[in-house]
């Protein structure tokens, strides 16, 4: 009989192909001998490629439990063609929003025996194709946060792996998960107007970029229009912290009359606080500030940031579950999951003193 894959891999790990006799890990051969069935039968049972009678499956499972056998992931991938890994593409690992999302995804991945691999595209659309292509060859499915234009998203689907899009709408027939960014940003506009602010700035909007950011801009602008405020103070910027600091300086110097700013995420808000401080503007004394995402930064910085709560751990964990469902049944009805948001009022917003 030819050696099984588990034996080959185990032997290669132990110099010269010699088998260790002490503390030897049980192999699929040992399970087969214990259960009184063939190695092929155990392999098919473990990899769920064939069902057997209840009595046979009970014997195999009992042998696995008694021997404390764990199948080798590499061996399993060689047999099934599956890697056992899920790929996650995020926009900026320095943004705590994505750090929390990855943590949530990893928790569910571990529950189901998946490895999690991720790439950071660093808010750089030009790198996405290369990084996603390399990642797709190492995983069974992808969870993708991308600023790629809608008309180019077929390039991701062409990689041939199940995909769940995070934070943006998906093409027809593809699952996605996100929040109602329009409604949340509308709440921000309403809050600032009700606090008496009329000269309100928007920072980090990138209208042609990430769909969620576009929706935040639309919701905010709609709230202002509802209150007959038509004057806009907008500064577009890449959403990395170094860039938004410079953008905040430009906005505050160009429009010193601004009394409030909506920063498109908490990372942007941190840049605003630093820029305001360097220009002698006090937050919230003469400049109110609202962020988006409610990352850990929001409650740790001074002043504590008023922001929109997004369930980031749930975002990641739900994305993995959607991907698992999609992988197991490609014809399952696709879900667009929308998580609830809420305003978290802290110290960075004050009523305007007239």
């Amino acid at each position: 009989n030819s050696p099984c894959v588990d034996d080959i891999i185990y032997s290669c790990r132990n110099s010269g192909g010699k088998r260790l006799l002490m503390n030897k890990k049980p192999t699929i051969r040992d399970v087969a001998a214990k259960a009184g069935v063939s190695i092929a039968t155990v392999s098919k049972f473990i990899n769920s490629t064939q069902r057997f009678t209840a009595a046979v499956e009970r014997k195999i499972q009992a042998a696995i439990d008694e021997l404390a056998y764990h199948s080798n992931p590499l061996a399993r991938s060689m047999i099934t063609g599956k890697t056992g890994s899920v790929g996650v593409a995020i926009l900026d690992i320095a943004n705590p929003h994505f750090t929390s999302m990855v943590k949530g995804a990893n928790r569910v991945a571990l529950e189901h025996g998946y490895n999690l691999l991720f790439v950071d595209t660093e808010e750089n659309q030009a790198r996405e194709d290369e990084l996603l292509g390399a990642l797709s060859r190492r995983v069974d499915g992808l969870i993708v946060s991308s600023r790629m234009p809608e008309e180019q998203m077929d390039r991701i689907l062409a990689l041939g792996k199940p995909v769940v899009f995070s934070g943006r709408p998906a093409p027809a027939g593809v699952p996605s998960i996100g929040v109602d960014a329009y409604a949340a940003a509308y709440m921000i506009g309403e809050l600032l107007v009700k606090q008496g602010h009329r000269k309100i700035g928007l920072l980090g909007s990138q209208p042609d970029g990430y769909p969620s950011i576009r929706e935040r801009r639309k919701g905010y602008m709609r709230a202002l229009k509802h209150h007959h405020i038509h004057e806009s103070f907008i500064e577009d910027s890449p959403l990395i912290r170094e860039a938004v600091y410079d953008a905040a300086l430009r906005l505050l110097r160009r429009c010193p009359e601004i009394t409030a700013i909506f920063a498109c995420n908490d990372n942007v808000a941190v840049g605003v606080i630093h820029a305001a401080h360097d220009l002698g503007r006090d937050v919230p004394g003469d400049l109110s500030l609202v962020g988006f995402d409610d990352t850990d930064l929001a409650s740790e910085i001074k002043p504590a940031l008023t922001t929109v709560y997004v369930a980031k751990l749930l975002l990641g964990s739900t994305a993995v579950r959607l991907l698992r469902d999609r992988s197991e049944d490609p014809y399952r009805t696709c879900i667009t999951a929308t998580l609830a948001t809420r305003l978290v009022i802290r110290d960075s917003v004050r009523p305007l003193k007239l």
Side-chain angles (χ1 to χ4, degrees):
N1 291 335
S2 58
C4 69
V5 176
D6 278 281
D7 285 345
I8 294 171
I9 293 171
Y10 183 80
S11 298
C12 289
R13 280 202 304 266
N14 299 303
S15 59
K18 296 178 181 179
R19 304 286 297 280
L20 295 181
L21 298 178
M22 297 182 65
N23 298 321
K24 171 182 170 296
K25 291 182 180 180
T27 68
I28 194 172
R29 186 188 298 278
D30 299 324
V31 173
K34 188 78 175 176
V37 298
S38 70
I39 294 171
T41 297
V42 176
S43 177
K44 291 173 183 176
F45 172 77
I46 290 172
N47 294 300
S48 302
T49 57
Q50 184 176 327
R51 295 300 306 270
F52 300 94
T53 64
V56 169
E57 291 189 352
R58 281 197 298 270
K59 287 197 296 183
I60 297 172
Q61 189 59 58
I64 289 172
D65 294 342
E66 185 175 341
L67 295 171
Y69 169 77
H70 299 283
S71 62
N72 187 297
L74 179 57
R76 187 167 63 249
S77 70
M78 292 171 67
I79 295 169
T80 64
K82 299 291 186 181
T83 68
S85 297
V86 170
V88 181
I90 58 175
L91 293 167
D92 181 12
I93 193 61
N95 185 336
H97 170 87
F98 293 108
T99 308
S100 296
M101 176 188 157
V102 169
K103 184 179 291 186
N106 193 52
R107 288 178 181 175
V108 175
L110 291 175
E111 288 176 9
H112 295 286
Y114 302 143
N115 298 311
L116 195 70
L117 305 179
F118 75 90
V119 294
D120 176 6
T121 62
E122 298 180 343
E123 296 278 359
N124 187 337
Q125 292 183 37
R127 300 189 66 212
E128 285 188 354
D129 279 344
E130 177 186 356
L131 290 172
L132 284 170
L135 181 63
S136 69
R137 292 189 288 272
R138 303 174 60 190
V139 299
D140 298 325
L142 294 164
I143 298 167
V144 178
S145 299
S146 170
R147 299 208 191 285
M148 187 175 290
E150 281 84 347
E151 63 272 15
Q152 297 178 21
M153 288 174 67
D154 284 346
R155 298 213 300 261
I156 298 175
L157 303 180
L159 295 171
K161 297 296 173 71
V163 178
V164 172
F165 285 97
S166 175
R168 66 175 301 156
V174 180
S176 67
I177 183 167
V179 301
D180 189 342
Y182 179 98
Y186 189 95
M187 288 192 296
I188 291 172
E190 285 277 303
L191 170 69
L192 293 174
V193 171
K194 288 179 179 178
Q195 294 293 314
H197 297 281
R198 295 297 182 271
K199 308 289 187 180
I200 306 170
L202 175 66
L203 184 62
S205 57
Q206 289 192 307
D208 297 325
Y210 200 37
S212 176
I213 301 298
R214 289 205 305 269
E215 290 301 300
R216 293 173 202 189
R217 176 172 176 154
K218 289 178 182 177
Y220 155 82
M221 297 293 287
R222 183 68 186 87
L224 267 57
K225 185 177 180 180
H226 178 76
H227 291 278
H228 309 291
I229 300 172
H230 302 288
E231 191 171 10
S232 300
F233 305 90
I234 297 174
E235 188 71 34
D236 294 334
S237 169
L239 300 183
I240 56 176
R241 194 175 299 175
E242 298 81 2
V244 300
Y245 170 81
D246 292 336
L249 287 177
R250 292 195 303 270
L251 178 61
L252 290 170
R253 285 170 174 159
R254 177 168 57 87
C255 309
E257 66 271 33
I258 288 174
T259 63
I261 289 180
F262 167 31
C264 280
N265 65 33
D266 292 351
N267 233 22
V268 173
V270 172
V272 173
I273 290 174
H274 291 160
H277 177 270
D278 290 348
L279 292 176
R281 300 287 300 268
D282 178 64
V283 178
D286 63 355
L287 183 69
S288 287
L289 178 65
V290 183
F292 200 109
D293 284 336
D294 196 24
T295 61
D296 291 342
L297 280 172
S299 58
E300 294 170 357
I301 58 175
K302 301 296 181 183
L305 184 66
T306 294
T307 186
V308 171
Y309 170 78
V310 175
K312 297 163 291 296
L313 291 172
L314 183 59
L315 194 71
S317 62
T318 304
V320 174
R321 291 189 174 97
L322 289 175
L323 186 63
R324 181 171 179 265
D325 292 344
R326 182 70 165 167
S327 300
E328 292 182 349
D329 183 3
Y331 301 102
R332 179 191 294 262
T333 301
C334 289
I335 293 175
T336 299
T338 303
L339 304 185
T341 59
R342 67 175 185 273
L343 270 175
V344 180
I345 307 298
R346 296 195 179 99
D347 301 332
S348 65
V349 173
R350 285 186 185 174
L352 181 64
K353 295 179 181 179
L354 300 176

